[in-house]
């Protein structure tokens, strides 16, 4: 064989370590430096914010946006430019109206699969008829889940009540109407269809390819399995393969192939990452199969306990502790020692966050210690929204 006949093996993709992945993801998550974009634009860029409870989207945006105020998110919610709806991973997310009408159809297959877990309680129930009945009920007037299941029981008295309400949530794009979700306001969860609330029909489900590109812009570099974890979907490999000519590839230190947009930011791994206070269930910590880009291996599971999650503190870009609001103070419980300079940075960020979200309240900032790895909880538990039966109505 002559030299010209020899084939040259393609070069191996570059390897990205945890710090490189951390800085790239933080930059896209608007956590490396705060962005001047509007709350609505940020919700769109991030493909939604997990919103199992009312306050987390506000804390998430306060950490990410320069000049954010609670009104910046409450106003578009009240104006129906942003909505709360069950989408990714069968959990409530805050989405723009456009994403509500497209991403919800994208994940419909996952909602249909979710119904299999409730089939015993739905014996004899015509699901298409149920969807028609439920739509008529919630479009007549927004209803609570209790009201909805009681009304559906009149048609299917032998069915399991919870299964009926879950079926309605899975079959229909049900949004939570305001005042639910508004900062400083209270209100029961009342539901109507997205089409009725927004005054326009749902769009056809977007091609998975388009959502892959958006996911990489907000969470990349990432593997196929990472995106499947984020979306709660399967069989996305084909979309990545179709897009391969338009993407660049890397490997992580375990050899997993990572895809990315060619021009997406990949900052120097030593770029400074200021402290950030994140809410429970922030998408930064939920949207990858391998979370070591944010959660050091030795801290795996420390921000969870069973089906509860805690508010988290990032220091140097990585999970470094938990936090909570007591009656008179924001209490920080680091996982390890913070030197004086770090404490000063964390304190300044805490005071900034309190000024944004709780102006006029005389909160102090206190440091404590994590009580134990597996014992007492440092904050009121928050239910794990990965369980579909809990995720749709909170």
């Amino acid at each position: 064989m002559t030299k010209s006949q020899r084939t040259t093996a393609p070069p191996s993709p570059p390897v990205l370590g945890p710090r490189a992945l951390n800085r790239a993801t933080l930059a896209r998550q608007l956590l490396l430096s705060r962005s001047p974009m509007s709350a609505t634009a940020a919700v769109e860029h991030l493909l939604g914010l997990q919103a199992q409870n009312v306050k987390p989207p506000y804390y998430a945006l306060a950490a990410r946006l320069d000049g954010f105020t609670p009104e910046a998110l409450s106003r578009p919610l009240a104006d129906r430019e942003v909505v709360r709806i069950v989408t990714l991973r069968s959990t409530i997310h805050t989405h723009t109206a456009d994403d509500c009408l497209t991403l919800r159809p994208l994940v419909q297959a996952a909602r249909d699969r979710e119904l299999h877990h409730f089939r015993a309680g739905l014996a004899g129930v015509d699901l298409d008829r149920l969807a028609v009945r439920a739509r008529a009920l919630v479009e007549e007037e927004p209803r609570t889940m209790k009201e909805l299941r009681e009304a559906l029981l009149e048609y299917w008295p032998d069915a399991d009540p919870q299964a009926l309400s879950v079926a309605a949530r899975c079959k229909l794009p049900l949004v939570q109407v305001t005042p639910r979700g508004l900062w400083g306001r209270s209100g029961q969860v009342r539901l109507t269809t997205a089409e009725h609330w927004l005054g326009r029909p749902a769009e056809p489900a977007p091609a998975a390819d388009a959502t892959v590109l958006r996911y990489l812009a907000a969470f990349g570099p990432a593997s196929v399995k990472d995106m499947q974890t984020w979306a709660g979907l399967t069989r996305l490999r084909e979309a990545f393969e179709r897009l391969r000519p338009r993407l660049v590839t890397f490997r992580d230190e375990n050899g997993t192939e990572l895809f990315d947009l060619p021009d997406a930011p990949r900052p120097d791994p030593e770029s400074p990452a200021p402290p950030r206070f994140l809410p429970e269930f922030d998408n930064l910590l939920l949207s990858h199969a391998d979370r070591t880009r944010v959660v050091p291996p030795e801290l795996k599971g420390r921000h969870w306990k069973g089906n509860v999650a805690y508010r988290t503190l990032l220091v140097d870009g990585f999970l470094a502790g938990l936090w909570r609001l007591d009656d008179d103070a924001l209490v920080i419980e680091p996982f390890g020692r913070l030197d004086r300079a770090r404490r000063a940075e964390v304190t300044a960020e805490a005071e900034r966050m309190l000024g944004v979200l709780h102006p006029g309240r005389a909160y102090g900032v206190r440091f404590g210690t994590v009580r134990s790895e597996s014992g007492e909880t440092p904050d009121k538990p928050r239910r794990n929204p990965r369980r579909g039966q809990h995720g749709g109505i909170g």
Side-chain angles (χ1 to χ4, degrees):
M1 179 182 295
T2 66
K3 185 175 181 180
S4 61
Q5 292 174 313
R6 296 183 191 130
T7 57
T8 303
S12 298
V15 174
L16 298 178
R19 286 188 68 88
L21 292 172
N22 176 272
R23 292 322 196 243
T25 307
L26 292 181
R28 299 169 207 202
Q29 283 287 300
L30 316 179
L31 289 166
L32 203 58
S33 61
R34 270 184 273 270
S35 170
M37 69 174 59
S38 70
T40 302
V43 170
E44 179 182 16
H45 167 72
L46 297 167
L47 288 102
L49 299 169
Q50 182 129 344
Q52 180 69 4
N53 302 304
V54 168
K55 292 181 179 178
Y58 293 88
Y59 284 106
L61 292 177
R64 290 168 164 88
L65 300 183
D66 187 31
F68 176 76
T69 65
E71 177 63 16
L73 180 58
S74 285
R75 185 175 56 254
L77 275 165
D79 292 342
R80 308 189 189 189
E81 298 169 7
V82 170
V83 298
R84 292 165 55 84
I85 183 172
V86 173
T87 51
L88 310 166
R89 306 183 299 278
S90 191
T91 59
I92 300 165
H93 278 70
T94 296
H95 285 297
T96 63
D98 287 344
D99 279 350
C100 166
L101 294 171
T102 54
L103 287 179
R104 182 57 167 78
L106 178 69
V107 300
Q108 184 58 47
R111 302 291 69 75
D112 292 339
R113 288 195 300 273
E114 185 182 340
L115 278 175
H116 295 320
H117 300 298
F118 298 88
R119 58 182 178 271
L122 294 169
V125 176
D126 182 323
L127 293 178
D128 290 334
R129 183 171 168 236
L130 178 145
V132 171
R133 294 289 187 188
R135 180 181 289 275
L137 287 164
V138 298
E139 291 187 351
E140 178 184 47
E141 62 176 321
R143 299 181 188 254
T144 67
M145 289 297 271
K146 180 177 183 291
E147 292 169 344
L148 181 56
R149 62 176 166 261
E150 287 176 351
L152 293 173
L153 275 171
E154 295 181 11
Y155 298 98
W156 294 281
D158 297 327
D160 175 70
Q162 184 189 20
L164 287 175
S165 58
V166 169
R169 176 177 63 75
C170 288
K171 295 294 288 184
L172 297 175
L174 297 179
V175 300
Q176 297 184 358
V177 305
T178 52
R180 183 70 175 179
L182 303 184
W183 186 260
R185 299 281 299 278
S186 61
Q188 282 185 298
V189 175
R190 291 190 172 274
L191 305 165
T192 190
T193 63
E195 299 96 329
H196 186 71
W197 185 246
L198 298 174
R200 52 193 170 108
E203 300 289 335
D209 302 36
T211 309
V212 167
L213 297 175
R214 292 187 63 194
Y215 170 76
L216 293 176
F219 295 96
S223 68
V224 175
K225 191 174 180 180
D226 285 331
M227 182 174 174
Q228 291 180 162
T229 297
W230 166 80
L233 296 174
T234 58
R235 302 179 181 177
L236 292 178
R237 168 65 66 179
E238 290 183 2
F240 278 83
E241 292 301 333
R242 285 193 298 271
L243 291 167
R244 185 181 287 274
R246 297 171 55 183
L247 302 175
V248 293
T249 59
F250 302 91
R251 298 275 176 184
D252 68 16
E253 292 183 338
N254 296 317
T256 301
E257 185 176 38
L258 306 173
F259 294 84
D260 204 5
L261 306 175
D263 299 327
R266 288 180 288 275
D268 187 311
E270 300 307 316
S271 299
R276 295 289 186 257
F277 288 86
L278 300 182
E280 63 272 24
F281 301 122
D282 192 280
N283 279 359
L284 176 72
L285 286 89
L286 293 175
S287 300
H288 300 88
D290 181 354
R291 297 168 185 169
T292 55
R293 68 180 66 199
V294 181
V295 181
E298 66 274 14
L299 297 181
K300 182 179 180 181
R302 294 290 296 277
H303 62 299
W304 295 85
K305 184 183 178 185
N307 291 332
V308 304
Y310 309 120
R311 297 168 178 173
T312 54
L313 167 68
L314 303 184
V315 174
D316 189 32
F318 291 88
L319 174 67
L322 310 177
W323 65 276
R324 68 177 189 270
L325 272 182
D326 282 351
D327 290 339
D328 62 344
L330 186 155
V331 181
I332 302 160
E333 298 187 325
F335 290 131
R337 180 182 175 274
L338 298 177
D339 62 27
R340 182 176 297 181
R342 289 287 193 203
R343 282 192 173 224
E345 292 175 353
V346 169
T347 299
E349 178 65 14
E351 290 172 344
R352 178 201 169 276
M353 185 264 286
L354 291 169
V356 169
L357 294 176
H358 304 282
R361 289 289 301 271
Y363 282 117
V365 177
R366 249 189 357 248
F367 284 85
T369 58
V370 173
R371 298 174 189 177
S372 71
E373 289 192 28
S374 58
E376 302 170 27
T377 58
D379 199 0
K380 181 179 178 181
R382 310 285 181 175
R383 286 195 176 276
N384 182 355
R386 287 176 175 273
R387 298 181 181 274
Q389 59 266 44
H390 299 307
I393 59 176

